[in-house]
Amino acid sequence: MKKAVLAVVTGAAVVAAALVPSGPAVQAAESAGSAASAGQAHTEPRGFGSALSSVEQTSWQTNASVNAVAATGNLVFAGGLFTRVRPPGKARGVGDVARKYFVVLNRTTGVPTRFAPQVNGPVWSVDTSPDGRWVVIGGDFTVVDGVPRSHVAMFNTATGKLVSGWDPVVNFRVAALKVTAKTVYLGGSFGLVDKMARSRLAAVRLDTGTLLPWSPDANDDVHAIEVSTDGDRVFVGGGFTRIGGRNDHALAMLDATTGAVLSMRAAGAIPAKTEGCDSRVKDLEVQGNKVFASNAGTGSVSCYDGVLAADATSGKLLWQSHCQGATEAIKAIGNWLYKGSHAHNCSADGGFPDKTGMHHLLVYSTITGKLGPWFPNTDAGGETLVGPLAFASGGNDLWAGGDFTEVNGVPQEGLTRFTSIPGGAAPVRPAAPKVASARANKVTISFPTVLDRDNLALTYLLYRGSTRIGSWSRTSNSWTKPTVTTVTDSRLASGKTMTYHLEVTDGRNIQKSPTATVEVR
């Protein structure tokens, strides 16, 4: 019998390597300063390319939008416009329980806890203290657990009790919160705190709620607040065009003690407000010495909706994405920045073009700003028609709240979560390879690439019977034509019947194609 020889004849161009962030994947369970952030590789294949799987994990859901999420220890806090929550997989009204505007869930199981404060108005912001002892909520409410609370309230996370005596009086919505070891920073639409002038920004003591002198004054709403890792600088995002007496738009860096405006050159990457474009920073995230800002633009189709990364000390711009479609939420986990948006055109970043559908959940490399391998999806509903609106993480998971009613095509309203549990989404099952024998003693085999929701690069193994005769690494995504690989299997015995099949693996999951049969000429 003649010895079989395999030759690669042709191969279509693979997807641009720029879409795959450099460096090995990270271990999501590690903290920001650990081996994960340093880019240390994990040894066990997990089946997905970024810090998280794209497979949604079970969680209770809501009957309306979730606007804010926070996590500490084994608790997750979600606030929004909802009034009831229900088990996963259930339709509205089936098995639901009352949780008006605020719910506390077990982070491991996704089930509501007995911590169930009574809040009389929508919650727009939530944050926890660094030690996990306290959780603060902000919003439109005026009464909590039967006690007057003006748009902001604090709870003890161990007891679930409202903290008595902690009672700043804010005269309008608190839409942004950042809690540090000593201070609670407030942002929103208000003008007075404890009857003192505070235009949309204020700070109170964590222990007493006493108003502090910090008063940068912004001339329009504040949507997001973050604090540098060393606690010296406060980052503020919103729709303002003037803050601290300076003409700064949408993004500012402030002194954490005095409120003085510091130089933030990266803010210049956000277009100035015009009649045709109003681009606002909707979320901020600090990781190490980087700060990330996400924008949502209204007005013209091309109004800036992207994400940028800046040096958290100098304010220098490090990278910027220009995807179109408002970005409402971001969260950094290891070397990855997850974003919630209604992105519909990322062609400016080398990604998907317009008219390829809405991509509500995406990930960037925190190092390069390039799109990475994570493509779960939600729909969009409610008033915002965005989808995901808020993110939180305990380090090895991502909780997403929003106005969606489906996650990965399955009914799930308002709240979902993704984790680093090994497995990930399996590749799509490949079709049987195309086989032909047009020349003596040779068989030509062709196969296209398939998709995987949380990997770009997959391994393709070709078998003749039970013998593996070739292996290829190919990259593919949903917005480009599949790469077709064509190979020739030579020195085969004439008249023999050969069977071929393909196996595709992401390192953990394997999908096997049907068998194709051909008679050798």
Side-chain angles (χ1 to χ4, degrees):
M1 178 179 289
K2 297 180 179 179
K3 183 178 179 182
V5 177
L6 184 73
V8 177
V9 178
T10 62
V14 297
V15 74
L19 290 181
V20 185
S22 60
V26 300
Q27 287 182 302
E30 305 263 1
S31 62
S34 64
S37 291
Q40 180 178 323
H42 58 274
T43 56
E44 181 185 355
R46 296 174 302 171
F48 45 91
S50 74
L52 301 173
S53 164
S54 69
V55 177
E56 70 281 9
Q57 301 298 312
T58 57
S59 167
W60 276 50
Q61 51 187 325
T62 62
N63 68 344
S65 176
V66 171
N67 303 326
V69 194
T72 188
N74 202 38
L75 296 177
V76 171
F77 307 90
L81 306 182
F82 56 87
T83 57
R84 303 188 72 81
V85 298
R86 64 188 188 276
K90 300 296 184 181
R92 285 191 184 186
V94 180
D96 63 356
V97 297
R99 287 293 192 276
K100 292 187 69 173
Y101 309 119
F102 187 53
V103 63
V104 184
L105 303 103
N106 181 293
R107 186 173 147 243
T108 301
T109 65
V111 175
T113 69
R114 294 180 180 179
F115 184 170
Q118 302 296 306
V119 184
N120 77 334
V123 171
W124 290 91
S125 52
V126 185
D127 198 24
T128 61
S129 59
D131 60 10
R133 295 178 60 192
W134 317 105
V135 59
V136 182
I137 64 172
D140 296 339
F141 53 85
T142 56
V143 177
V144 178
D145 287 344
V147 179
R149 283 294 184 269
S150 297
H151 305 287
V152 65
M154 178 189 284
F155 302 92
N156 183 311
T157 59
T159 66
K161 300 295 185 182
L162 183 70
V163 178
S164 62
W166 198 92
D167 186 21
V169 178
V170 186
N171 76 327
F172 208 67
R173 177 182 296 172
V174 174
L177 286 165
K178 181 61 183 179
V179 183
T180 70
K182 294 182 178 181
T183 305
V184 179
Y185 293 95
L186 315 175
S189 310
F190 54 84
L192 297 172
V193 178
D194 290 343
K195 299 182 180 180
M196 299 291 291
R198 290 292 187 273
S199 182
R200 301 175 179 87
L201 284 165
V204 300
R205 286 180 53 161
L206 175 65
D207 55 355
T208 65
T210 303
L211 183 65
L212 296 171
W214 195 80
S215 181
D217 287 348
N219 71 341
D220 204 338
D221 290 354
V222 169
H223 304 305
I225 303 176
E226 266 292 348
V227 175
S228 62
T229 304
D230 59 15
D232 291 342
R233 296 168 300 287
V234 177
F235 303 96
V236 177
F240 52 83
T241 57
R242 189 168 177 82
I243 186 170
R246 288 181 39 166
N247 294 325
D248 288 317
H249 174 231
L251 177 63
M253 180 165 62
L254 311 172
D255 186 284
T257 303
T258 67
V261 179
L262 306 174
S263 174
M264 185 73 177
R265 286 179 288 167
I270 300 171
K273 183 177 179 179
T274 65
E275 290 186 4
C277 176
D278 181 8
S279 181
R280 296 171 172 238
V281 169
K282 301 303 289 290
D283 200 9
L284 293 164
E285 172 78 349
V286 168
Q287 185 191 57
N289 199 41
K290 290 180 182 177
V291 57
F292 305 93
S294 67
N295 279 62
T298 58
S300 67
V301 174
S302 60
C303 190
Y304 178 63
D305 289 319
V307 177
L308 63 79
D311 186 285
T313 301
S314 68
K316 177 185 176 182
L317 182 68
L318 301 176
W319 56 257
Q320 184 176 24
S321 80
H322 293 85
C323 288
Q324 295 176 17
T327 305
E328 296 283 341
I330 50 176
K331 178 58 65 175
I333 304 174
N335 289 335
W336 304 98
L337 183 71
Y338 294 83
K339 87 163 186 170
S341 68
H342 65 266
H344 58 88
N345 187 350
C346 285
S347 56
D349 297 337
F352 50 84
D354 210 357
K355 300 180 181 180
T356 56
M358 294 293 184
H359 304 253
H360 294 286
L361 293 167
L362 295 169
V363 71
Y364 295 105
S365 163
T366 59
I367 301 168
T368 66
K370 301 299 183 182
L371 283 172
W374 193 70
F375 302 100
N377 213 353
T378 71
D379 63 353
E383 296 180 0
T384 63
L385 296 176
V386 171
L389 298 173
F391 283 167
S393 177
N396 62 351
D397 57 2
L398 179 73
W399 286 79
D403 63 6
F404 49 83
T405 60
E406 291 185 356
V407 179
N408 288 333
V410 176
Q412 176 73 18
E413 186 173 4
L415 191 64
T416 190
R417 62 182 176 131
F418 301 91
T419 72
S420 61
I421 294 173
V428 172
R429 187 188 184 198
K434 293 183 178 180
V435 294
S437 182
R439 293 179 291 173
N441 309 119
K442 295 182 180 181
V443 170
T444 301
I445 311 106
S446 297
F447 57 88
T449 53
V450 297
L451 297 177
D452 187 309
R453 252 192 352 244
D454 45 27
N455 281 282
L456 292 176
L458 300 173
T459 300
Y460 295 77
L461 309 172
L462 182 62
Y463 288 83
R464 181 199 320 112
S466 60
T467 302
R468 194 173 85 184
I469 59 173
S471 173
W472 299 266
S473 177
R474 294 287 184 262
T475 303
S476 58
N477 52 50
S478 63
W479 59 88
T480 57
K481 292 182 178 180
T483 298
V484 175
T485 298
T486 300
V487 300
T488 298
D489 195 9
S490 302
R491 300 181 185 175
L492 302 173
S494 178
K496 289 287 187 180
T497 297
M498 298 294 180
T499 60
Y500 296 88
H501 77 271
L502 189 68
E503 293 183 7
V504 183
T505 178
D506 57 16
R508 193 178 186 97
N509 304 294
I510 299 175
Q511 291 279 41
K512 182 178 178 180
S513 78
T515 298
T517 303
V518 63
E519 182 178 329
V520 182
R521 284 192 61 182

